[in-house]
Amino acid sequence: MSSPVLSVSVDTRLGDALEAMVRTGRRHLVVVDTAGRCAGVLADRAVAAAWAHDHAALTRLTVAQALDPDPAVVNSHAKVVDAARLMRARGVDAVAVLNPDGLPMGIVTGSDLIALLAG
């Protein structure tokens, strides 16, 4: 799990989220609502897909508009295998790890799983 979490708010423009990804070298951002609770995980491929569909998307759309309505998340007591199974079942390469209040604690990515296996 990568922690601390790099997050953006639901009202962040896609272009600003992309800039944060490029600046930090990350492919995923945890998206939070106004109370700081996880609303989902924004992947670089979701940004690319939105831009491919509409070249004005980076300035016109917010990250909330690019999120899956059913976010891929696990609780803080989940096992690594639970995160991996969820990623496979949902076809995503990252899941947010949440505390009992729904606040993001970290993120597990496919790269994290590979690093764990390569040990």
Side-chain angles (χ1 to χ4, degrees):
M1 175 175 84
S2 300
S3 185
V5 177
L6 180 59
S7 64
V8 294
S9 70
V10 290
D11 59 352
T12 301
R13 295 279 170 207
L14 279 181
D16 293 333
L18 179 59
E19 285 181 28
M21 289 176 176
V22 170
R23 186 179 64 253
T24 61
R26 299 198 185 178
R27 295 181 44 234
H28 305 90
L29 300 173
V30 174
V31 179
V32 295
D33 64 15
T34 55
R37 290 184 302 270
C38 181
V41 175
L42 180 70
D44 58 355
R45 65 185 179 184
V47 176
W51 178 80
H53 180 71
D54 172 9
H55 290 314
L58 296 180
T59 56
R60 194 174 57 78
L61 298 180
T62 65
V63 297
Q65 294 169 290
L67 286 180
D68 185 325
D70 184 22
V73 299
V74 295
N75 69 48
S76 59
H77 299 296
K79 296 178 181 171
V80 172
V81 70
D82 298 328
R85 285 180 179 148
L86 179 61
M87 290 165 68
R88 181 172 185 229
R90 298 287 300 281
V92 297
D93 58 353
V95 296
V97 180
L98 309 181
N99 73 12
D101 296 321
L103 302 175
M105 297 176 54
I107 189 169
V108 175
T109 67
S111 296
D112 293 329
L113 297 177
I114 291 169
L116 179 65
L117 290 172

